[in-house]
Amino acid sequence: MALLEARGVTKVFGGLVAVSQVDLTIEERMIASLIGPNGAGKTTFFNCLTGLYKPEEGDILFDGRSIVGLRPDQITALGIARTYQNIRLFGSMTAIENILVGQHVRLRSTPLGAILQTPFTRREEQRAEKRARELLAFVGLTGKGDMLAKNLPYGDQRLLEVARALASDPKLLLLDEPAAGMNPRETEAMMHLIHRLRNELGITILLIEHDMKVVMSISDRVTVLDYGKKIAEGRPEEVRNDPRVIEAYLGPGILAETHP
């Protein structure tokens, strides 16, 4: 069953067509990757999926419902969460506090309840903190909940961003270059975490990634954009050997490196 279906999505900035007639279908519990050269329209497409941009043409269905025109918070409430290419944590807040922010869309306490500290509000706050510490442990950051986000090592900040996204209980998680800037050990840990997100939590994953070893190792399906258009799609081994993809993006050197 298709969890996400994009139909002819087009996004234009002035005279520049950033995304052109892109179709994309993601089934439940799939790990899918979106790849292509810099400027190919990958992050713009993510921004259309999450409500930051409204496409000029096309439709986006999530769980059978059109989400075009909805606000980002409404889309998050439906079950889509994301991380960012450039880490966007609240640096002067602790790791736990960052995750609590991610839970906001699922909390039901009112501002008045928070001021009066009603029993319902106190119980919800306790549950939220317990859940935040569980998510910290899940991503491998046990014991670091009280550290300021800006003081965490780079790789841990990447993991914290994933934990914050998980706090909204997503069905679909969009990861924008999750392995960017990581060393080989951190990259391996991130790949393992992505598999656990699907296998243990049942979350569907769509990621943008430039590390072809990551893409080819973990993806069920790979979609390739070039100049805003989809030029190829299929299983990793199919895409890796597609002449259009080799010419536009991979090149013979990267092609050789991605073979096991």
Side-chain angles (χ1 to χ4, degrees):
M1 176 181 175
L3 180 64
L4 179 79
E5 186 175 1
R7 301 173 177 171
V9 171
T10 298
K11 180 61 189 172
V12 180
F13 297 101
L16 173 67
V17 181
V19 175
S20 178
Q21 295 293 315
V22 171
D23 296 327
L24 181 71
T25 300
I26 307 294
E27 283 85 28
E28 290 183 5
R29 298 178 67 92
M30 172 181 282
I31 298 176
S33 291
L34 189 63
I35 68 171
N38 289 329
K42 305 181 297 297
T43 296
T44 298
F45 183 71
F46 261 31
N47 289 338
C48 291
L49 298 182
T50 54
L52 291 176
Y53 297 154
K54 182 178 179 180
E56 275 69 34
E57 296 179 20
D59 200 4
I60 301 168
L61 302 177
F62 178 69
D63 241 354
R65 170 183 175 175
S66 176
I67 59 174
V68 172
L70 296 183
R71 300 189 310 266
D73 62 299
Q74 294 173 317
I75 292 174
T76 300
L78 289 175
I80 299 179
R82 71 171 296 178
T83 65
Y84 293 87
Q85 179 179 355
N86 299 313
I87 296 173
R88 295 187 183 180
L89 296 170
F90 300 103
S92 296
M93 295 171 63
T94 67
I96 284 289
E97 289 168 343
N98 270 272
I99 298 176
L100 290 173
V101 169
Q103 292 188 61
H104 179 73
V105 71
R106 302 298 177 201
L107 302 181
R108 296 294 172 258
S109 295
T110 64
L112 181 61
I115 293 171
L116 299 178
Q117 280 295 290
T118 63
F120 175 82
T121 298
R122 290 198 302 272
R123 288 194 300 270
E124 188 172 57
E125 288 175 349
Q126 290 168 358
R127 288 195 300 269
E129 182 161 346
K130 180 175 182 290
R131 176 60 175 157
R133 294 197 182 277
E134 289 172 350
L135 289 172
L136 271 180
F138 185 84
V139 301
L141 297 179
T142 300
K144 299 183 179 180
D146 296 325
M147 292 182 63
L148 294 181
K150 64 184 178 183
N151 292 337
L152 290 170
Y154 177 84
D156 287 353
Q157 290 186 32
R158 284 279 180 196
L159 294 174
L160 178 57
E161 221 186 12
V162 173
R164 185 178 63 182
L166 293 176
S168 65
D169 292 329
K171 299 176 185 176
L172 173 65
L173 180 59
L174 309 179
L175 302 174
D176 196 343
E177 297 196 35
M182 287 187 165
N183 62 41
R185 180 186 59 80
E186 292 169 334
T187 298
E188 191 69 30
M190 179 61 74
M191 291 169 59
H192 179 64
L193 175 60
I194 292 172
H195 276 296
R196 290 182 63 214
L197 294 175
R198 191 264 302 275
N199 298 338
E200 298 179 25
L201 301 184
I203 296 173
T204 305
I205 308 290
L206 175 60
L207 66 135
I208 295 171
E209 185 53 65
H210 283 291
D211 188 327
M212 287 301 99
K213 289 184 178 179
V214 172
V215 170
M216 298 302 169
S217 297
I218 69 173
S219 304
D220 300 311
R221 181 186 300 159
V222 179
T223 301
V224 188
L225 297 185
D226 188 31
Y227 292 106
K229 297 181 179 180
K230 184 169 77 171
I231 62 169
E233 185 174 66
R235 296 190 303 273
E237 58 271 20
E238 295 172 336
V239 168
R240 181 171 53 202
N241 294 304
D242 190 308
R244 295 167 298 178
V245 180
I246 295 170
E247 179 181 0
Y249 183 48
L250 293 181
I254 294 180
L255 175 65
E257 292 175 8
T258 59
H259 275 287

